[in-house]
Amino acid sequence: MYWCHADLNGDRGPVQLLEDALLTRPEAAVTWVREVARAVLGDLETPEFNAVWAWLGNHPGMWAAVNSVGAGAQYGFSVVGESGRWTWTVNPVVDLPLLTRCGSRPAAALTTSRVRAP
């Protein structure tokens, strides 16, 4: 799983989470980040627009990001402009074992042979 988010750290207060998503494939995660960045191009000043446009056009870099994310690395891109720092990030989500109600052993250790799918 991959948690993707886009945020803006402006001069007017704390970081604003613009959008986020939880996706299951590294290709989908990197594509989501690129689409969300593309969606805000109209809100950027010319230097930031140019930086994001060049990043979007870097297709070998995109595939390198997919491979890196698939290997478990965090991926991110950001630009700084008059409105603040725009950041787009993909974070791998580490699955933690579920605990039983009393917390004594992981739920995966429980037998589920009596449970059948419908």
Side-chain angles (χ1 to χ4, degrees):
M1 297 289 271
Y2 304 93
W3 177 52
C4 309
H5 63 95
D7 55 57
L8 173 61
N9 187 1
D11 294 336
R12 298 186 186 122
V15 174
Q16 299 172 347
L17 178 64
L18 303 175
E19 290 192 51
D20 68 338
L22 190 59
L23 300 163
T24 59
R25 295 183 354 263
E27 300 89 358
V30 173
T31 298
W32 184 91
V33 165
R34 291 169 54 82
E35 291 299 321
V36 171
R38 184 177 283 117
V40 299
L41 281 172
D43 296 335
L44 302 175
E45 299 297 321
T46 301
E48 297 80 42
F49 175 95
N50 292 338
V52 173
W53 189 254
W55 174 68
L56 289 170
N58 182 357
H59 297 288
M62 177 194 70
W63 289 111
V66 168
N67 292 332
S68 178
V69 167
Q74 179 182 10
Y75 175 73
F77 178 75
S78 65
V79 294
V80 178
E82 291 180 19
S83 56
R85 176 182 295 273
W86 297 79
T87 305
W88 299 273
T89 309
V90 177
N91 294 294
V93 176
V94 178
D95 293 328
L96 300 175
L98 297 175
L99 298 178
T100 63
R101 190 179 225 146
C102 62
S104 62
R105 58 186 172 145
L110 300 175
T111 58
T112 58
S113 60
R114 292 176 281 156
V115 177
R116 294 182 182 208

